[in-house]
């Protein structure tokens, strides 16, 4: 693969920079708007609700249990190991093991280090007092407000906390430790239910905890109870004649659960195992778990949002009258009164454009100098250039230099789905600029709204926007100091009406920088980069032929990155060379290639280099390499010594000869060719065809331009050619192109045959070093 330079258009001479004195500037003071309660607060409310819900769910008490298999839970349930079974609707089944140890036998002496443990015995009337069922009913019956007040007056603080019910006694545990507990001997569960019915007490209204020993207790030995006491696991111990039972502390009660099972599925499993929900030895319940109502919260949030939007719309109608939602207001940013971050000193390589724009800045600062002489400053300035040549950078420099209100917008910001919104925004923008005059309007990428009418597939709103721009630019009042500056890299698609005098009077072309311009750009972007003292900026500027200002900035940034990765403190020329290759061709790729492929690539690139060296007027070789980059397996890079504004026929023929030299070398050395020369063949064919059809460099075809380029009416690119010649002429053009290629092929083959020994030496060096610079390459010809 080899690189060639295309002919360029000749530039005008640079004008000297003019210095200006800044006079007094008319300032436009914008009244600050009152801050209104906006729609952002709605999101704060919704976010707050969600945050509160998440925090509530995070800090709500969790499930203190261990997970077991479903089979184990069913086995334990059949063996009467559970006091309680909760079938929850969140997919969990939670089982609570027996938490009361009931033993037959009286513990005579209990020793415990737990001072809070109280052992209550029926023999001590201060601890347990025998009463009747009716007395118990009186203590359990819910009190009215009047009864509660009367009991408080009498200092009667009786409060039954828990009622333990067995088959032959009922024990009521008083919450007040100063009061005795109450015992009803000979009473059973049936007697207790009958008592509640006769007394008219509903069990659901009781605040007392009812514990049935048939479900909560398991038969134990007195030794087990003694161990519980010693281990501080019991919170209460009761000694009732021939029975002793202890109640475990809550944290000592074992709980188990199974996960991912629905209530219906678990109920079916119980039925299949012949376990009923009315099992007398286990309290089986279905439980509904309270959850965060996300659906309700979301619905409420939406309703609040719509309500807030309606309120804001109502206030907008009241405040603005006819402009609901203010779709027609311009989105241009006003840059005024800020410290400029870019001035004309920070822009290089576009001296002619800077001179033109400095005249405009001078007019805005001192308009009387021009008006007194009858001069009229251009109403519009169109900056045209390839991407990366500095159009937007120049606009920022104008904003920094002018010292007047600077309205910055882009062509796409005028567009809106609503019909008439773009035109309304244009009117609003120009109205603001007139009020702030003298001022500048900068429209970036104006081709978005100023394409040719009638030939472009575009909406009616785009044409309305363009029409409004045309009217506003040609409708300025006399001596209204508003200048419109626009930028585009596609001037061919712009409507003719917008380019006529009176609208965009001047066209400033920003071409790729020349060698001196590139040198100045390198200096600007290298200010904050530690370049090695050995670096020659002249060499770098020659190396970067065809680079735009953006490419140079990117190259120096890549060089800094390469230096940082290598952990060095200075950027060397080799770093810049690698960065330039990375920007221009692509990063180096270490593909796995066979020895034959490497050898063929080396001969291919060496052939290019030798023919470049031995053909007249060709640019000297800068670097030859077989390192793969991008889609190329290797490349040979020429380095022009000066910028070329035009290319001679001799040099074009030399370029074609050098392009086909890689193919010639493969055929000459290996007797076979590869597809690696496809790009070279394409470039050679295009250059030869342009010599015949456009440049008049064929005596047979004469000084005639064959064919006319026709731009696409949709995208503005040249996608086809309008043929203005016959088929016989087309055949002659093809024959002439083939003749040029064949002659260059024969010339390249002759040069390579004459320098076959040098070719072999260069190939050996490439296989050894992979890269040869200009000094290494020229050494083979001394």
């Amino acid at each position: 693969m080899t690189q060639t330079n295309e002919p360029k258009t000749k530039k005008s001479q640079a004008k000297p920079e003019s210095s200006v004195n800044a006079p007094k500037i008319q300032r436009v003071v914008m009244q600050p708007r009152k801050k209104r309660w906006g729609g952002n607060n709605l999101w704060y409310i919704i976010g707050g609700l969600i945050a509160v819900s998440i925090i509530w769910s995070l800090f709500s008490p969790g499930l203190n249990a261990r997970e077991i298999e479903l089979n184990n839970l069913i086995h334990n349930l059949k063996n009467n190991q559970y006091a309680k079974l909760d079938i929850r609707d969140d997919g969990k089944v939670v089982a609570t093991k027996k938490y009361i140890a009931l033993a037959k036998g009286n513990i005579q002496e209990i020793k415990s280090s737990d001072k809070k443990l109280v052992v209550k015995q029926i023999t001590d009337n201060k601890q347990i007092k025998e009463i009747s069922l009716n007395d118990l009913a009186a203590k359990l019956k819910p009190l009215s407000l009047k009864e509660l007040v009367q009991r408080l007056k009498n200092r009667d603080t009786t409060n039954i906390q828990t009622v333990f019910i067995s088959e032959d006694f009922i024990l009521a545990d008083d919450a007040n430790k100063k009061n005795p507990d109450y015992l009803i001997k000979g009473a059973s569960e049936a007697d207790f239910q009958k008592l509640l019915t006769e007394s008219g007490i509903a069990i659901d209204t009781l605040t007392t905890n009812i514990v049935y020993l048939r479900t909560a207790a398991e038969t134990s030995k007195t030794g087990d109870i003694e161990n519980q006491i010693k281990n501080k696991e019991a919170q209460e111990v009761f000694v009732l004649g021939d029975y002793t039972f202890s109640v475990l502390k809550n944290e000592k009660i074992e709980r188990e659960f199974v996960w991912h099972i629905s209530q219906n599925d678990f109920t079916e499993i119980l039925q299949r195992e012949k376990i009923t929900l009315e099992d007398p030895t286990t309290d089986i319940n279905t439980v509904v778990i309270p959850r965060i109502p996300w659906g309700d919260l979301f619905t409420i949030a939406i309703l609040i949002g719509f309500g807030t939007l309606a309120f804001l719309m109502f206030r907008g109608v009241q405040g603005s009258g006819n402009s609901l939602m203010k779709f027609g207001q311009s989105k241009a940013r006003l840059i005024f009164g800020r410290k400029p971050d870019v001035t004309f000193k920070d822009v290089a390589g576009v001296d002619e454009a800077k001179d033109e724009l400095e005249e405009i800045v001078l007019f805005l600062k001192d308009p009387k100098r021009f008006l007194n002489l009858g001069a009229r400053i251009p109403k519009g300035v169109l900056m045209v250039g390839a991407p990366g040549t500095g159009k937007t950078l120049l606009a920022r420099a104008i904003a920094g230099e002018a010292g007047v209100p600077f309205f910055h917008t882009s062509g796409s910001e005028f567009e809106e789905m609503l019909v008439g919104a773009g035109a309304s925004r244009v009117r609003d923008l120009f109205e603001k600029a007139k009020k702030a005059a003298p001022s500048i309007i900068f429209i970036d990428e104006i081709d978005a709204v100023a394409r040719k009418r009638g030939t472009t597939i575009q909406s009616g709103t785009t044409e309305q926007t363009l029409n409004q721009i045309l009217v506003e630019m040609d409708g300025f009042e006399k001596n209204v100091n508003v200048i419109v500056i626009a930028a585009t890299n596609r001037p061919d698609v712009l409507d003719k009406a917008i380019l006529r005098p009176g609208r965009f009077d001047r066209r400033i072309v920003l071409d790729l920088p020349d060698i001196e311009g590139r040198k100045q750009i390198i200096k600007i972007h290298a200010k904050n980069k530690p370049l090695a003292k050995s670096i020659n900026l002249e060499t770098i500027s020659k190396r970067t032929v065809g680079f735009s200002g953006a490419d140079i900035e990117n190259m120096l940034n890549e060089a800094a990155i390469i230096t940082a990765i290598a952990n060095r403190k200075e950027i060397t020329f080799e770093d810049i060379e690698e960065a330039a290759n990375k920007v221009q061709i692509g990063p180096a790729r270490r593909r796995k290639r066979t020895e034959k492929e490497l050898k063929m690539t080396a001969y291919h690139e060496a052939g290019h280099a030798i023919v470049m060296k031995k053909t007249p007027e060709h640019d000297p070789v800068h670097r030859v390499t077989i390192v793969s980059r991008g889609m190329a397996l290797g490349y040979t890079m020429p380095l022009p010594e000066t910028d070329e504004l035009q290319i001679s026929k001799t040099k074009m023929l030399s370029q074609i000869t050098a392009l086909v030299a890689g193919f010639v070398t493969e055929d000459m050395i290996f007797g076979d060719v590869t597809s690696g020369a496809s790009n070279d063949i394409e470039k050679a064919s295009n250059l030869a065809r342009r010599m015949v059809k456009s440049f008049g460099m064929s005596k047979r075809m004469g000084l005639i331009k064959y064919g006319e380029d026709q731009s696409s009416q949709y995208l503005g690119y040249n996608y086809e050619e309008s043929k203005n010649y016959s088929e016989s002429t087309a055949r002659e053009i093809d024959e002439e192109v083939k003749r040029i290629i064949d002659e260059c092929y024969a010339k390249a083959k002759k040069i390579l045959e004459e320098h076959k020994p040098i070719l072999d030496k260069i190939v050996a060096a490439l296989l050894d070093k992979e890269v040869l610079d200009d000094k290494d390459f020229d050494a083979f010809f001394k």
Side-chain angles (χ1 to χ4, degrees):
M1 177 182 178
T2 184
Q3 297 184 349
T4 59
N5 301 312
E6 298 294 334
K8 298 182 179 179
T9 306
K10 187 174 181 180
K11 294 185 178 180
S12 61
Q13 296 295 325
K15 298 180 182 179
E17 296 184 2
S18 58
S19 60
V20 295
N21 296 321
K24 293 182 180 180
I25 300 171
Q26 178 183 355
R27 293 183 178 269
V28 180
V29 181
M30 301 294 183
Q31 293 295 332
R33 295 182 179 180
K34 292 182 179 180
K35 188 175 181 182
R36 294 184 175 181
W37 193 85
N40 289 337
N41 293 337
L42 171 62
W43 296 108
Y44 296 152
I45 294 173
I46 296 175
L49 291 174
I50 295 175
V52 170
S53 302
I54 293 174
I55 293 172
W56 182 87
S57 62
L58 289 176
F59 289 95
S60 59
L63 181 64
N64 183 18
R66 64 184 183 90
E67 187 174 5
I68 62 171
E69 297 290 336
L70 178 61
N71 294 335
N72 294 338
L73 185 136
I74 297 298
H75 178 268
N76 295 339
L77 183 61
K78 287 182 176 181
N79 292 333
N80 192 24
Q81 295 185 17
Y82 295 135
K84 186 179 179 183
L85 193 70
D86 291 336
I87 309 172
R88 304 173 11 149
D89 65 342
D90 62 350
K92 290 182 181 178
V93 176
V94 182
T96 303
K97 287 195 171 183
K98 307 287 186 180
Y99 55 90
I100 296 179
L102 180 61
K104 194 169 184 179
N106 194 333
I107 300 177
Q108 299 297 329
E109 184 178 359
I110 298 176
K111 294 181 181 180
S112 173
S113 60
D114 191 353
K115 297 180 179 179
K116 296 182 180 180
L117 178 65
V118 178
V119 181
K120 302 181 180 181
Q121 302 184 29
I122 194 171
T123 56
D124 188 350
N125 292 332
K126 294 181 180 180
Q127 291 181 315
I128 299 178
K129 181 179 179 181
E130 291 190 47
I131 60 173
S132 65
L133 281 171
N134 292 332
D135 294 335
L136 177 63
K139 295 180 181 296
L140 292 177
K141 186 176 181 180
L143 301 177
S144 64
L145 181 60
K146 185 177 180 180
E147 292 172 334
L148 179 62
V149 173
Q150 186 64 36
R151 180 169 290 188
L152 291 174
K153 284 183 179 180
N154 298 333
R155 296 184 179 181
D156 185 359
T157 57
T158 302
N159 182 15
I160 302 300
Q161 179 179 353
T162 308
V163 176
F164 298 96
I165 303 174
S166 73
E167 291 302 319
D168 55 359
F169 68 86
I170 297 176
L171 177 67
D173 185 13
D174 198 291
N176 190 345
K177 300 305 178 183
K178 295 181 180 180
N179 296 333
D181 294 335
Y182 306 101
L183 176 67
I184 302 97
K185 288 186 176 181
S188 63
E189 182 179 342
D191 296 329
F192 181 73
Q193 296 292 343
K194 182 179 178 182
L195 173 67
L196 295 179
T197 302
E198 293 176 350
S199 303
I201 302 174
I203 195 168
D204 295 336
T205 62
L206 293 177
T207 59
T208 303
N209 184 26
I210 308 299
V211 176
Y212 299 100
L213 296 184
R214 59 176 170 80
T215 61
E218 65 177 349
T219 303
S220 304
K221 298 179 181 179
T222 55
D224 296 335
I225 297 177
E226 290 175 352
N227 290 333
Q228 289 178 0
I229 295 171
K230 291 178 182 178
N231 297 331
K232 299 183 181 180
E233 296 176 354
Q235 66 177 356
E236 286 183 302
V237 177
F238 297 92
V239 181
L240 305 172
D242 294 337
Y243 291 96
T244 300
F245 71 89
S246 68
V247 181
L248 289 175
K249 294 179 180 179
N250 186 58
E251 63 270 16
K252 299 298 181 180
I253 300 174
E254 293 186 20
R255 294 179 177 86
E256 299 172 341
F257 75 95
V258 293
W259 182 235
H260 298 304
I261 186 168
S262 65
Q263 290 182 340
N264 293 335
D265 292 341
F266 190 74
T267 304
E268 291 179 2
I269 293 173
L270 294 181
Q271 292 176 354
R272 189 168 58 248
E273 298 293 336
K274 297 181 180 180
I275 301 173
T276 63
L277 296 178
E278 291 79 19
D279 188 351
T281 61
T282 304
D283 186 12
I284 302 178
N285 304 302
T286 57
V287 180
V288 177
I289 303 299
R291 297 186 183 88
I292 301 175
W294 292 110
D296 295 340
L297 290 177
F298 185 70
T299 303
I300 293 172
I302 291 177
L303 293 176
I304 293 174
F306 278 117
T308 305
L309 180 61
F311 173 73
L312 294 176
M313 290 176 63
F314 178 74
R315 291 190 63 180
V317 171
Q318 285 185 328
S320 61
N322 297 327
S323 56
L324 180 64
M325 302 296 289
K326 299 181 180 179
F327 283 115
Q329 286 192 350
S330 170
K331 296 183 179 180
R333 275 80 65 194
L334 174 61
I335 303 174
F336 182 65
R338 305 179 187 174
K339 183 178 180 181
D341 58 343
V342 177
T343 62
F344 283 142
K345 294 181 180 179
D346 301 311
V347 183
V350 284
D351 294 334
E352 295 85 354
K354 285 169 61 176
D355 291 340
E356 294 275 0
L357 295 172
E358 280 179 344
E359 292 177 9
I360 294 172
V361 172
L362 179 61
F363 173 82
L364 291 170
K365 289 183 175 181
D366 189 12
K368 290 183 179 180
R369 182 191 301 189
F370 297 87
L371 297 176
N372 291 338
L373 297 174
R376 179 181 63 83
I377 201 71
K379 293 183 178 180
V381 178
L382 182 66
M383 293 193 296
V384 178
T389 50
K391 298 185 294 297
T392 305
L393 185 67
L394 267 175
R396 291 170 60 190
I398 295 169
E401 294 281 353
V404 297
F406 184 91
F407 296 89
H408 174 215
T409 186
S410 65
S412 60
E413 289 182 349
F414 290 117
E415 291 301 292
E416 190 68 55
M417 292 179 64
L418 298 179
V419 176
S424 176
R425 288 176 179 173
V426 172
R427 286 192 296 270
D428 183 69
L429 172 60
F430 279 87
E431 188 65 29
K432 290 178 180 177
K434 289 177 185 178
K435 291 179 180 179
S439 61
I440 296 175
I441 296 175
F442 176 66
I443 306 175
D444 201 3
E445 305 296 345
I446 194 174
D447 51 272
V449 291
R451 292 182 182 179
K452 296 176 183 177
R453 291 170 292 180
T455 59
T456 305
I457 301 175
Q458 61 182 1
S459 64
T461 58
T462 305
E463 285 203 13
Q464 287 186 11
T465 305
L466 173 58
N467 292 337
Q468 190 63 42
I469 293 175
L470 297 176
V471 171
E472 293 291 341
M473 290 193 67
D474 202 24
F476 287 156
E477 298 176 2
K478 188 177 181 180
N479 298 334
V480 174
N481 301 333
V482 178
I483 296 176
V484 181
I485 302 175
T488 182
N489 51 25
R490 300 174 60 189
D492 54 316
V493 303
L494 297 181
D495 193 88
K496 292 182 179 179
I498 205 168
L499 299 176
R500 73 162 177 80
R503 291 194 176 109
F504 284 106
D505 303 276
R506 293 190 184 183
R507 178 182 295 192
I508 300 176
V509 178
L510 281 73
D511 204 350
L512 294 174
D514 57 12
I515 186 169
E516 186 61 31
R518 293 194 298 275
K519 188 175 179 179
Q520 295 174 9
I521 294 172
I522 292 170
K523 287 181 179 179
I524 290 174
H525 292 300
K527 284 181 180 179
N528 62 340
K529 295 178 176 63
L531 299 183
K533 294 181 180 179
S534 60
I535 290 180
N536 188 346
L537 297 184
E538 190 79 22
T539 305
I540 299 176
S541 59
K542 289 181 179 180
R543 168 66 182 84
T544 53
V545 172
F547 277 44
S548 65
D551 291 332
I552 293 174
E553 181 185 14
N554 190 24
M555 176 192 70
L556 292 175
N557 183 64
E558 289 290 342
I561 293 173
I562 293 171
T563 306
I565 292 174
N567 198 20
R568 287 184 276 104
K569 294 183 179 180
E570 285 187 339
I571 301 173
T572 64
F573 181 79
E574 288 72 18
D575 298 328
I576 295 177
E577 180 70 29
E578 174 64 23
N581 292 331
K582 190 174 182 180
V583 171
Q584 195 171 20
I585 306 173
R589 301 177 64 181
R590 298 295 178 182
R591 295 186 176 98
K592 285 187 177 181
R593 292 185 285 178
T594 63
E595 185 178 348
K596 181 180 178 181
E597 288 175 336
L598 286 172
K599 195 172 182 179
M600 291 190 76
T601 302
Y603 270 105
H604 182 103
E605 301 303 333
H608 282 312
I610 291 176
V611 174
M612 286 181 186
K613 178 75 174 177
K614 293 301 178 180
T615 50
E617 297 187 16
H618 200 289
D619 296 325
V621 176
H622 173 65
R623 171 167 289 204
V624 186
T625 178
I626 58 174
V627 176
S628 175
R629 288 182 180 271
M631 299 300 294
L633 298 177
Y635 64 91
T636 302
M637 180 180 294
L639 184 64
E641 296 183 349
T642 60
D643 287 310
E644 296 175 332
L645 303 179
Q646 56 187 10
I647 302 179
S648 65
K649 178 181 178 181
T650 301
K651 186 165 187 177
M652 287 188 183
L653 291 174
S654 296
Q655 288 180 351
I656 296 173
T657 305
L659 284 167
V660 301
F663 186 90
V664 173
T665 309
E666 291 181 9
D667 188 26
M668 185 178 73
I669 300 299
F670 299 98
D672 194 7
V673 293
T674 65
S675 60
S678 60
N679 185 255
D680 299 330
I681 295 172
E682 181 182 358
K683 289 181 179 179
S685 302
N686 290 338
L687 185 55
R689 192 169 293 276
R690 291 173 67 190
M691 290 176 62
V692 174
K693 295 177 61 178
S694 301
F695 302 150
M697 294 181 179
S698 170
K699 293 182 179 180
R700 179 180 177 182
M701 304 308 299
L703 298 177
I704 300 175
K705 172 70 167 64
Y706 294 97
E708 294 180 358
D709 293 336
Q710 184 162 349
S711 298
S712 164
Q713 293 184 352
Y714 180 57
L715 294 176
Y717 293 112
N718 296 332
Y719 73 100
E720 65 177 10
E721 179 189 66
S722 176
K723 294 178 65 174
N724 57 0
Y725 50 88
S726 64
E727 291 298 327
S728 60
T729 303
R731 188 178 301 107
E732 291 183 18
I733 292 173
D734 293 340
E735 291 173 355
E736 189 67 8
V737 171
K738 185 176 185 301
R739 181 191 65 78
I740 293 174
I741 298 293
D742 289 344
E743 288 180 359
C744 292
Y745 184 96
K747 186 176 180 180
K749 187 173 183 179
K750 181 180 178 182
I751 294 173
L752 291 169
E753 288 175 347
E754 291 176 354
H755 297 82
K756 177 68 165 54
I758 296 178
L759 177 66
D760 294 334
K761 292 179 181 179
I762 294 175
V763 169
L766 282 174
L767 293 174
D768 181 36
K769 298 181 179 180
E770 290 189 336
V771 179
L772 295 177
D773 59 17
D774 53 349
K775 294 180 181 179
D776 296 333
F777 176 74
D778 291 337
F780 289 100
F781 296 91
K782 293 181 180 179

